[in-house]
Amino acid sequence: MAKVIPVGIAGLGRYVPEKLLTNADLEKMVDTSDEWIVQRTGIRERRLAAPAQVTSTLALAAARQALADANMPAEELDLVICATITGDQPFPATACRIGLDLGAKKAGGFDLAAACSGFVFASQVAAGLVGSGQFRNVLVVGAEILSRILDYTDRNTCVLFGDGSGAAVFTSLERAGRGEFLGGSISMEGGAETILALPGGGSRHPASQDSVNQRLHFMKMGGTKVFRFAVRVFAELVQGVIDKYGRDQIGVIIPHQVNQRIIEAAMEQLGMPMDFVFSNIDRYGNTSAASVPIALREAYDAGRLQKGKLVVMPAFGAGMAWGHLLLRW
Ligand code: UT7
């Protein structure tokens, strides 16, 4: 798809539910401690959706903030892409509910399932479609209610994740006036079904009494393998940007908020100080597809997106699937 129109980001939004789940709360649920969780992950608390909330509820709040920031009525949207692995239900697409509730009357929409890389991948799809001239205004939302697929008897996973949503509106750079899309990457390596996955509910293990008894409808993870993989690809993705643009062009790195130790190890490998990084993992844990856009909006609010400088967003997760999104703010 030839790039004919420069693309930018007109608006950003984020939403997290009110309910806090602290490390002290988790100490009462599984054999863990605040000390272990903080030392191994940097996480102090995470947010949990209220029982009445579904993923589209969270997505809607972030989308409304992004549209308000863009000063764009929902009727002007041509497309809604929802990046999620915890949609309202397996089908129809959660994007259809978001479009209806927003009042995006002329928009099409679909979901994109790439786990923690979902927002970064969906943003590249959006930018490609705007850049080609096929669509003018595309909303990308990363939204997750991971608490609904977590096994709160499994200390290996339940301490790490939380719920939330983030959104961005892609349009022509001329209209957006900021957040120029420079490109990115999308990579995958299959065969990780036993490393990081939700085994049940698909064609491999359809829902049955047996799948419920085996707890297959909860997330499973081999954390150490993911740790090593994440450090390696994070460092490679940022190094690629340095090689092309130079380190002094980088204003901020907003990585997938996976684990503070992974972020620190990758930055050490790159020989770069932590000042380059925006991190909010202590407050939200890992929110999968929502993690990068929540952090992007918070970095924007904190004045960390510097005019003319690069914003580098590396992401990695189940698949394995990894890639990055690159903007010039
Ligand atoms: O977006 C991608 C999603 N994936 C991730 O976010 C996970 C990435 N991986 C990680 O963040 C880390 O690998 C973990 C935080 C999951 C684990 O840290 P680690 O330093 O790799 O610890 P470990 O897996 O080597 O486990 C060390 C010990 C084990 O006990 P033994 O076998 O040495 O006796 C675990 O059973 O820590 C134990 N452990 C815990 N202890 C207290 C595991 N989870 C907990 C826990 N509380 N919550």
Side-chain angles (χ1 to χ4, degrees):
M1 201 183 296
K3 178 176 166 184
V4 290
I5 301 165
V7 178
I9 288 189
L12 295 170
R14 45 74 83 195
Y15 170 79
V16 291
E18 275 173 34
K19 187 175 164 43
L20 282 178
L21 182 71
T22 64
N23 292 350
D25 296 329
L26 284 159
E27 282 176 356
K28 293 176 205 137
M29 298 159 73
V30 287
D31 181 15
T32 191
S33 66
D34 175 55
E35 192 192 359
W36 191 96
I37 301 172
V38 172
Q39 267 184 14
R40 300 284 180 131
T41 72
I43 302 167
R44 293 183 184 276
E45 59 192 32
R46 59 296 283 141
R47 300 298 180 101
L48 294 193
Q53 290 182 311
V54 289
T55 299
S56 60
T57 328
L58 273 54
L60 198 63
R64 285 196 171 125
Q65 190 185 33
L67 285 169
D69 189 35
N71 203 11
M72 185 185 288
E75 293 80 16
E76 287 190 25
L77 288 174
D78 301 301
L79 186 69
V80 175
I81 309 176
C82 180
T84 187
I85 50 165
T86 53
D88 292 358
Q89 62 277 311
F91 72 88
T94 301
C96 299
R97 168 51 60 182
I98 298 168
L100 176 72
D101 290 349
L102 274 178
K105 293 194 180 72
K106 69 180 172 85
F110 57 87
D111 290 359
L112 186 150
C116 302
S117 301
F119 175 80
V120 160
F121 289 7
S123 293
Q124 292 176 69
V125 174
L129 291 168
V130 173
S132 73
Q134 187 172 351
F135 293 112
R136 279 182 308 140
N137 306 315
V138 181
L139 171 73
V140 176
V141 194
E144 305 280 14
I145 302 190
L146 294 165
S147 59
R148 305 262 158 88
I149 59 161
L150 285 176
D151 182 349
Y152 285 97
T153 66
D154 175 12
R155 69 178 184 176
N156 290 300
T157 51
C158 74
V159 304
L160 301 174
F161 299 92
D163 305 335
S165 64
V169 178
F170 288 82
T171 187
S172 68
L173 182 61
E174 193 184 358
R175 176 165 185 185
R178 58 187 170 173
E180 182 184 6
F181 171 73
L182 295 184
S185 62
I186 295 178
S187 303
M188 67 174 180
E189 190 176 284
E193 293 86 353
T194 56
I195 297 176
L196 179 52
L198 181 70
S203 58
R204 192 186 300 276
H205 299 292
S208 66
Q209 192 56 55
D210 195 41
S211 70
V212 171
N213 293 345
Q214 288 187 57
R215 304 182 81 76
L216 297 185
H217 300 279
F218 293 119
M219 184 196 299
K220 312 285 179 206
M221 187 179 72
T224 312
K225 278 189 187 153
V226 179
F227 194 106
R228 286 198 214 105
F229 154 81
V231 173
R232 177 174 59 80
V233 299
F234 179 150
E236 283 172 8
L237 290 166
V238 176
Q239 190 60 53
V241 174
I242 294 170
D243 292 346
K244 186 161 178 195
Y245 295 91
R247 184 175 135 162
D248 62 339
Q249 288 298 303
I250 296 180
V252 65
I253 299 171
I254 305 177
H256 168 44
Q257 306 289 310
V258 57
N259 177 326
Q260 190 66 13
R261 274 169 57 225
I262 290 176
I263 297 173
E264 285 170 5
M267 292 303 286
E268 197 183 319
Q269 207 160 302
L270 286 160
M272 292 175 83
M274 281 297 286
D275 304 353
F276 277 99
V277 174
F278 184 86
S279 168
N280 58 17
I281 190 159
D282 55 329
R283 288 176 290 135
Y284 308 129
N286 179 346
T287 57
S288 186
S291 107
V292 170
I294 291 174
L296 181 59
R297 171 72 207 211
E298 292 193 351
Y300 169 55
D301 290 337
R304 292 289 305 274
L305 308 183
Q306 302 166 46
K307 192 140 189 57
K309 291 276 192 176
L310 300 180
V311 183
V312 191
M313 288 164 275
F316 24 82
M320 306 309 281
W322 67 98
H324 75 292
L325 174 64
L326 184 64
L327 305 175
R328 191 188 300 280
W329 202 254

